[in-house]
């Protein structure tokens, strides 16, 4: 319906309805306005939940005019009636409603909880999907939640119609929660790490926020890197002898507090240092020594056994 589209992401302000000219009758707000040079009348009703219904009457003919709602009826007159009716609705929306980020009430509640707890607002990043809202951890710049409007058939082939879902990252806890009603393998993201939650009040806000908290904590984890150092070109073995911090060329997307393991190539071939990133700019990072390892702890053979087959350039560490 035209009304549903215009008021899709809007919350009514009932005090403003009265100021605008609505009359309240038994929890129903009513408003009328003449259009088409006073030959047509628009009647708009808004119920206590904010649901908007509208009708257009042809005053000369004495009946409700509905041609503008039919796709197969065209013409300048029909288009003019439709435009004037939509202008009435848009004026009511702009003056009496507050725009909200999402469609479902639970979606907006969860968004408000995230804003209050983490001081994070949704980002709308895609022109092709303008209503997908991403929530990003400010310290790590990683996503921890995404609210999307999708067809429910993408999660459950037996159901359809538009729904809003929340994607959160649970990693090892995915199998624990995937059995609950309203929680599905993630849409459009890794099903090993993420789940999709229907935001139709099937689940309590408190449980959903518990899962958001888990996802936020996972996004807060700093990345761990291995970087190679060739002792033929730089005396990395003795680099920390008289200082606890060294400068390194920035070649990857490091972040402050990331952990960096320095792997010394042949003839050593083992991880010698564990460091933390304390400073970065566009060209360099500063690495502060956290721990030294001996030659037997993290040899190349041990790295290979745990999924690190080569260390030719900075790379992330495997979970093993």
């Amino acid at each position: 319906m035209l009304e549903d589209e215009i008021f899709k992401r809007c919350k009514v302000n009932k005090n403003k309805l009265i100021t605008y000219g609505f009359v309240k009758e038994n929890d129903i707000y009513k408003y009328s306005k003449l259009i088409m040079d006073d030959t047509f009348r628009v009647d708009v009703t808004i119920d206590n939940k904010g649901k908007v219904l509208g009708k257009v009457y042809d005053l000369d003919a004495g009946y409700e005019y509905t041609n503008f709602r039919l796709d197969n009826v065209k013409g300048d007159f029909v288009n003019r009636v439709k435009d004037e009716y939509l202008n009435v609705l848009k004026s009511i929306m702009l003056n009496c409603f507050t725009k909200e980020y999402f469609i479902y009430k639970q979606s907006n509640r969860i968004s408000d909880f995230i804003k209050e707890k983490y001081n994070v607002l949704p980002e709308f990043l895609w022109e092709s999907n303008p209503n997908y809202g991403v929530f990003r951890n400010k310290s790590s710049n990683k996503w921890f939640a995404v609210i999307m409007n999708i067809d429910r058939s993408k999660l459950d082939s037996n159901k359809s119609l538009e729904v809003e879902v929340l994607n959160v990252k649970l990693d090892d806890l995915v199998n624990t929660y995937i059995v609950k009603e309203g929680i599905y393998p993630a849409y459009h993201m890794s099903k090993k790490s993420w789940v999709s939650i229907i935001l139709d009040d099937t689940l309590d806000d408190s449980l959903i926020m518990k899962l958001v908290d888990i996802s936020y904590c996972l996004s807060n984890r700093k990345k761990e890197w291995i970087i190679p150092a060739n002792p033929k070109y730089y005396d990395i073995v003795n680099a920390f002898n008289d200082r606890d911090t060294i400068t390194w060329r920035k070649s990857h997307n490091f972040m402050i507090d990331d952990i960096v393991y320095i792997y010394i190539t042949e003839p050593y071939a083992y991880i010698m240092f564990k460091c933390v990133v304390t400073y970065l700019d566009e060209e360099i990072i500063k690495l502060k020594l956290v721990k030294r390892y001996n030659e037997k702890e993290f040899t190349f053979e041990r790295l290979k056994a745990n999924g690190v087959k080569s260390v030719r350039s900075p790379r992330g560490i495997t979970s093993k």
Side-chain angles (χ1 to χ4, degrees):
M1 293 178 65
L2 297 172
E3 297 82 2
D4 290 341
E5 284 301 313
I6 290 177
F7 296 93
K8 199 171 190 177
R9 289 176 171 80
C10 297
K11 183 178 181 180
V12 67
N13 185 321
K14 295 173 183 176
N15 292 330
K16 289 186 177 181
L17 290 178
I18 301 300
T19 303
Y20 189 81
F22 279 81
V23 176
K24 185 178 181 182
E25 297 181 6
N26 298 324
D27 290 334
I28 300 293
Y29 296 83
K30 297 181 177 181
Y31 175 80
S32 295
K33 182 178 176 63
L34 296 175
I35 61 171
M36 300 292 291
D37 299 322
D38 296 346
T39 60
F40 282 66
R41 187 184 77 240
V42 173
D43 288 349
V44 178
T45 61
I46 302 177
D47 66 19
N48 208 33
K49 296 182 179 180
K51 175 71 173 178
V52 179
L53 296 175
K55 294 184 177 182
V56 176
Y57 291 94
D58 183 335
L59 298 180
D60 291 335
Y63 58 76
E64 182 183 355
Y65 183 83
T66 59
N67 284 354
F68 67 94
R69 296 187 184 274
L70 305 176
D71 292 335
N72 61 343
V73 179
K74 306 292 182 182
D76 291 341
F77 183 82
V78 175
N79 289 337
R80 184 185 166 196
V81 174
K82 182 176 182 178
D83 288 343
E84 292 201 25
Y85 175 59
L86 291 179
N87 286 337
V88 173
L89 296 183
K90 289 175 183 176
S91 177
I92 293 171
M93 184 269 291
L94 291 172
N95 287 280
C96 305
F97 285 74
T98 302
K99 292 292 286 184
E100 293 192 314
Y101 291 119
F102 303 107
I103 302 170
Y104 284 12
K105 290 183 178 180
Q106 188 170 39
S107 305
N108 286 298
R109 293 198 306 270
I110 296 300
S111 179
D112 289 341
F113 289 145
I114 292 174
K115 177 186 176 182
E116 181 179 349
K117 187 164 188 177
Y118 298 114
N119 192 29
V120 172
L121 294 174
E123 302 175 44
F124 299 91
L125 304 176
W126 301 283
E127 290 185 9
S128 58
N129 298 109
N131 302 313
Y132 286 17
V134 171
F135 297 85
R136 193 190 304 267
N137 187 314
K138 290 184 176 180
S139 63
S140 67
N141 212 36
K142 295 178 181 178
W143 300 1
F144 64 92
V146 186
I147 293 180
M148 302 176 285
N149 59 309
I150 63 174
D151 193 278
R152 188 158 186 167
S153 62
K154 296 182 183 299
L155 301 177
D156 186 340
S157 60
N158 296 321
K159 298 180 180 179
S160 60
L161 297 180
E162 184 182 41
V163 294
E164 281 183 327
V165 300
L166 170 73
N167 278 15
V168 290
K169 183 178 174 67
L170 300 182
D171 283 355
D172 296 339
L173 294 175
V174 165
N175 291 334
T176 301
Y177 288 98
I178 205 70
V179 296
K180 290 185 176 293
E181 183 181 0
I183 301 181
Y184 297 85
Y187 167 71
H188 219 340
M189 300 178 82
S190 170
K191 292 175 172 53
K192 293 181 179 180
S193 300
W194 294 74
V195 298
S196 290
I197 304 168
I198 299 287
L199 295 175
D200 62 353
D201 287 299
T202 297
L203 296 172
D204 291 340
D205 291 354
S206 58
L207 174 58
I208 294 176
M209 280 306 299
K210 176 183 177 181
L211 302 186
V212 170
D213 291 341
I214 293 171
S215 189
Y216 183 86
C217 289
L218 290 172
S219 73
N220 224 14
R221 290 181 181 174
K222 302 303 179 180
K223 191 165 184 178
E224 294 188 314
W225 304 82
I226 300 177
I227 62 174
N230 191 331
K232 295 180 181 179
Y233 302 107
Y234 176 55
D235 187 15
I236 183 63
V237 175
N238 297 305
F240 289 104
N241 286 355
D242 58 357
R243 74 199 77 174
D244 67 355
T245 300
I246 61 174
T247 299
W248 206 268
R249 181 173 64 88
K250 183 183 178 185
S251 58
H252 279 64
N253 189 28
F254 297 103
M255 299 287 293
I256 297 292
D257 293 335
D258 279 1
I259 298 298
V260 176
Y261 298 92
I262 300 179
Y263 172 81
I264 315 297
T265 60
E266 296 290 352
Y268 298 90
Y270 70 92
I271 291 178
M272 189 174 289
F273 304 113
K274 176 181 180 180
C275 304
V276 61
V277 178
T278 59
Y279 170 86
L280 58 82
D281 60 26
E282 293 182 359
E283 297 182 352
I284 67 158
I285 61 174
K286 289 189 177 181
L287 300 175
K288 183 175 182 179
L289 180 64
V290 175
K291 187 174 182 179
R292 293 175 184 263
Y293 298 107
N294 65 49
E295 67 275 12
K296 296 180 180 180
E297 289 185 86
F298 294 105
T299 63
F300 183 60
E301 291 303 317
R302 185 175 178 191
L303 295 180
K304 283 199 300 181
N306 287 279
V308 180
K309 304 299 183 183
S310 65
V311 191
R312 298 190 183 94
S313 62
R315 56 161 294 165
I317 266 189
T318 65
S319 58
K320 288 178 71 176

